[in-house]
Amino acid sequence: MLVPNKITNDNSRGEKLVFNHFKNDINAKDFIILHSLFVSKHLTRISGELDFLVLAPGLGIFALEVKHGKVSRNAGTWKFENRHGKITTSTIGPFRQVNDTMHSLRNYLKELAKDVPRLKERIGDFLFGCGVMFTSLNEFNDYGPEAETWQIFTRTGFRAPSSHFIHALSKGFHKKVERKSWYDPTMSRPSKKDCELIYKLLRGDFSYDYSNINSILDEEKVINHFTEEQFSILSILEFNNRCLIQGGAGTGKTLMATEIFMRNHKDGKKVGFFCYNKNLGNKLYKDITSTLDITQSKSEIGSFHGYMMSICKMTPPSIDVSQFFEVDLPFQCLIELEEVDENDKFDLIIIDESQDLMSELYVEVFDAMIKGGISNGNWVMFGDFCNQLIYRSNPAEIIDQVASKSAFTKIPPLKVNCRNTKNIVLFNHNSTGCELQISPEGMMTGERVEHFFPRKNKVEEKVDEIISSLISKGIPLYKITVLSKKRIDNSQVLVSDKALKWKEQGLLHTTVHSYKGLENSFIVLAEFDELDTDYSTSLLYIGISRARLKLYVVFDKDVEESYNKLLDKRFKEMMS
């Protein structure tokens, strides 16, 4: 029995092959096979996902990880390349990944079984095992100490019924643990009734999670990938030492910047990877250092202001903050950098959100940081100079200054949106007048954007209602972000007792400004008091483009007329 009994187009080609392999094996008819099973109680990570969980009467319980595409391992680092050519690397291999998730599931089942007398005493005795299915490789020999040969399924395995692999896993794991003190050759084999009870324990969460949590995970797999456009640009960068790359929100600028950092770091270069937004800088550092050790390389990742304050040993004053960041800090930084030997400077600097960092003094700091300076050094700048200008009025003037000092390659603007669903892309175009971006092949249409215009004193109530509705559908709070145009200390949303509790449990409530460069599955955009200025349009564009899967817009009634005029203006512009 396969649950669910169909597989979606969002699943990988390898998962589809395995699904059909199980489905067509009459010898697997007694197995209960769950696919895309979300595990929220993870030992080593916040959550995990099993590609397949096989409950096999008389054999055991087996977690399966599916890898389709090119796979290699070098010096402990795994590299995976999918059919689109996207390459991902990880120090955590598929064997460790599925093993950790399997143990997390085992512990979770122990908790669930406390109220089931038949399973309560036996669940700890059942044999749990795991395997990895390399569905596009004819052979895989370099598994090292991470796995046994019988844990590995390759393409040649499709010649035999799927149950053969499960029997091989059972035989191998029973043999491996037979000398363990807890092992009992009879008690370790779950009966058909045991498997049905385990399925019932998981079924409520599973069917509930699959329609919400797992669908989110599946959809995000589709969204979070490089497009062919981006890969071609990464190739261009290999032959150009200085590049400016422009593109709207969601076109993958930060993903590309991260990939460039990873490649150059692995080549032994000292790389500075900086952005404007502090929260984005923290996320970049956390994401990269979770897979790479940069402590010995002297590379730097984070906000540019944070980097300057660290080398100057300065902190912002309580007053006149603008003077500090615009003048005092960069000026002091230039003084400190005069003492830095040329060989100790960065081999490469990568600037994300460069439209927010284009001032004359900042460019001078860039010049002082790089070996060879702006003119002859290696640098890549990413920015959106059309839609996200909330800190600089005319950075194009500074780009001209850079051009007067250095020859660089100006890449044609990115136009493929690999973050937002088609409905969100279209909504942003209609609402803000931004250029209509292209959605990559396979991008889902997504749910329609919902917008509400309650009375000002009812905005808070409407936001709470939306969050409650998402929670009731099983959406975890960490997948939801509420964005406000107002400063948080002046915000009038999420101030109720239940809302404060949600925030304690993981719901993020922040300003549009501080969330620039970041994203989440569900975005609630609120507290815009006007939509008539270019500044508000830029903030609206930023807020809308943060949503990967679903967007809610909650503006008070006083803004509805301005919003309708905005839409009418966009419509006339499109028709002219």
Side-chain angles (χ1 to χ4, degrees):
M1 178 172 66
L2 280 152
V3 184
N5 61 2
K6 61 181 179 179
I7 195 162
T8 70
N9 289 330
D10 294 336
N11 291 93
S12 73
R13 183 173 295 175
E15 290 172 57
K16 292 175 183 175
L17 288 171
V18 173
F19 178 90
N20 288 315
H21 196 43
F22 276 122
K23 190 173 185 177
N24 295 320
D25 182 5
I26 192 172
N27 297 313
K29 62 181 176 62
D30 289 333
F31 295 173
I32 298 175
I33 304 164
L34 312 179
H35 66 89
S36 298
L37 178 63
F38 182 76
V39 182
S40 59
K41 307 283 188 177
H42 207 285
L43 292 175
T44 59
R45 294 180 290 280
I46 293 175
S47 62
E49 184 183 8
L50 283 176
D51 291 330
F52 290 89
L53 178 70
V54 181
L55 308 176
L59 300 176
I61 300 167
F62 303 99
L64 304 179
E65 174 75 11
V66 177
K67 292 296 181 186
H68 191 77
K70 295 180 181 179
V71 182
S72 62
R73 188 183 62 185
N74 183 26
T77 298
W78 289 81
K79 180 161 67 172
F80 308 97
E81 182 175 348
N82 68 12
R83 62 190 175 94
H84 300 291
K86 178 186 175 182
I87 296 174
T88 57
T89 60
S90 176
T91 55
I92 300 175
F95 300 104
R96 166 72 182 280
Q97 180 183 341
V98 70
N99 186 67
D100 287 349
T101 307
M102 176 197 71
H103 284 295
S104 298
L105 179 66
R106 184 172 183 266
N107 288 345
Y108 183 41
L109 281 171
K110 284 183 178 180
E111 291 181 27
L112 295 177
K114 289 178 180 178
D115 298 323
V116 184
R118 178 184 172 89
L119 288 178
K120 183 178 179 181
E121 302 300 326
R122 296 196 58 214
I123 192 74
D125 296 327
F126 292 152
L127 177 80
F128 282 76
C130 57
V132 178
M133 306 181 78
F134 296 99
T135 52
S136 57
L137 302 184
N138 289 323
E139 60 179 8
F140 187 83
N141 298 318
D142 183 25
Y143 46 83
E146 295 186 43
E148 306 285 354
T149 55
W150 41 264
Q151 285 183 268
I152 299 168
F153 177 100
T154 59
R155 195 174 185 85
T156 56
F158 286 119
R159 299 172 187 168
S162 60
S163 53
H164 281 211
F165 182 50
I166 303 303
H167 279 276
L169 286 175
S170 178
K171 181 179 178 181
F173 274 104
H174 278 286
K175 183 73 174 175
K176 188 172 185 177
V177 301
E178 64 182 0
R179 294 186 180 179
K180 300 287 185 180
S181 59
W182 56 265
Y183 178 74
D184 183 297
T186 302
M187 297 292 288
S188 63
R189 299 176 184 270
S191 67
K192 184 177 181 179
K193 181 67 174 177
D194 293 328
C195 290
E196 290 172 349
L197 286 173
I198 292 171
Y199 166 60
K200 287 179 180 179
L201 285 179
L202 291 172
R203 181 174 57 181
D205 287 338
F206 174 70
S207 60
Y208 187 66
D209 283 341
Y210 188 80
S211 61
N212 294 289
I213 304 302
N214 278 357
S215 65
I216 291 171
L217 294 173
D218 288 342
E219 288 167 350
E220 289 181 343
K221 284 181 183 177
V222 175
I223 291 176
N224 193 17
H225 68 275
F226 283 117
T227 66
E228 292 181 4
E229 175 188 49
Q230 293 161 331
F231 266 113
S232 65
I233 288 175
L234 289 176
S235 299
I236 291 172
L237 296 180
E238 295 179 6
F239 302 98
N240 294 273
N241 292 333
R242 293 171 295 282
C243 291
L244 174 66
I245 301 174
Q246 302 178 68
T251 54
K253 299 185 297 298
T254 301
L255 288 172
M256 293 174 66
T258 301
E259 179 69 13
I260 294 167
F261 177 90
M262 305 267 285
R263 292 184 182 187
N264 283 273
H265 171 82
K266 289 177 181 178
D267 288 341
K269 295 178 181 178
K270 179 180 178 181
V271 187
F273 183 10
F274 304 110
C275 60
Y276 181 92
N277 189 307
K278 179 182 176 181
N279 291 329
L280 175 59
N282 291 338
K283 184 179 186 300
L284 291 173
Y285 181 84
K286 181 179 178 181
D287 289 348
I288 291 174
T289 55
S290 67
T291 57
L292 288 179
D293 181 8
I294 69 167
T295 54
Q296 302 302 317
S297 67
K298 296 185 179 179
S299 291
E300 296 282 348
I301 308 167
S303 77
F304 189 56
H305 296 119
Y307 170 73
M308 289 194 292
M309 286 190 287
S310 68
I311 63 175
C312 297
K313 298 180 174 57
M314 298 175 70
T315 56
S318 56
I319 57 172
D320 207 3
V321 176
S322 177
Q323 169 74 16
F324 173 79
F325 284 113
E326 294 296 324
V327 180
D328 299 342
L329 180 60
F331 187 78
Q332 184 62 38
C333 191
L334 287 170
I335 295 173
E336 296 292 334
L337 290 171
E338 285 183 358
E339 306 299 320
V340 177
D341 186 89
E342 185 73 9
N343 292 325
D344 292 329
K345 294 182 179 180
F346 290 109
D347 299 304
L348 166 70
I349 63 168
I350 305 164
I351 308 295
D352 198 9
E353 303 182 298
S354 64
Q355 77 276 357
D356 298 327
L357 294 168
M358 284 295 185
S359 74
E360 188 172 356
L361 268 177
Y362 282 13
V363 171
E364 291 297 325
V365 176
F366 297 154
D367 184 58
M369 292 165 56
I370 322 168
K371 291 178 183 177
I374 284 284
S375 300
N376 300 305
N378 294 348
W379 52 264
V380 185
M381 296 186 187
F382 294 86
D384 181 356
F385 296 90
C386 296
N387 304 300
Q388 300 188 63
L389 298 177
I390 59 174
Y391 297 112
R392 304 284 167 190
S393 58
N394 193 4
E397 293 180 359
I398 306 300
I399 294 176
D400 291 341
Q401 290 182 24
V402 175
S404 69
K405 296 181 179 182
S406 170
F408 62 89
T409 302
K410 193 173 182 180
I411 307 294
L414 301 169
K415 295 182 182 295
V416 178
N417 185 308
C418 55
R419 175 195 291 161
N420 313 119
T421 64
K422 292 179 181 178
N423 273 337
I424 293 172
V425 169
L426 182 61
F427 182 80
N428 210 350
H429 169 66
N430 291 339
S431 298
T432 68
C434 67
E435 182 179 1
L436 181 60
Q437 296 171 328
I438 302 166
S439 294
E441 183 179 354
M443 177 63 76
M444 70 283 297
T445 301
E447 297 183 44
R448 68 179 182 85
V449 175
E450 296 188 44
H451 40 83
F452 307 92
F453 297 94
R455 293 292 179 188
K456 184 170 292 187
N457 61 351
K458 296 292 184 179
V459 170
E460 177 200 354
E461 183 179 319
K462 189 63 188 179
V463 172
D464 283 4
E465 179 185 316
I466 292 169
I467 305 302
S468 294
S469 174
L470 290 172
I471 292 171
S472 70
K473 295 175 182 176
I475 307 301
L477 288 168
Y478 70 86
K479 287 288 185 183
I480 308 168
T481 300
V482 178
L483 296 179
S484 174
K485 183 184 174 184
K486 294 183 178 180
R487 291 172 56 92
I488 297 305
D489 52 3
N490 293 328
S491 174
Q492 298 301 309
V493 298
L494 296 181
V495 294
S496 65
D497 290 341
K498 65 178 177 181
L500 294 175
K501 187 176 180 180
W502 291 335
K503 289 196 279 188
E504 290 176 359
Q505 295 171 343
L507 174 66
L508 182 60
H509 176 207
T510 187
T511 63
V512 177
H513 311 70
S514 62
Y515 210 64
K516 203 160 75 68
L518 300 172
E519 60 194 46
N520 210 343
S521 301
F522 297 84
I523 295 291
V524 182
L525 190 59
E527 299 192 295
F528 274 64
D529 50 9
E530 57 88 14
L531 296 172
D532 300 322
T533 63
D534 290 342
Y535 178 73
S536 290
T537 301
S538 293
L539 283 180
L540 182 62
Y541 171 88
I542 293 166
I544 293 170
S545 58
R546 300 310 97 194
R548 291 164 68 91
L549 300 178
K550 177 73 176 183
L551 173 69
Y552 299 87
V553 174
V554 186
F555 296 159
D556 70 64
K557 194 71 175 175
D558 294 340
V559 182
E560 184 174 14
E561 184 178 352
S562 296
Y563 180 76
N564 289 332
K565 286 181 179 178
L566 194 65
L567 291 183
D568 185 57
K569 177 183 176 183
R570 304 307 176 207
F571 179 76
K572 290 177 180 177
E573 288 173 350
M574 287 187 288
M575 297 301 292
S576 63

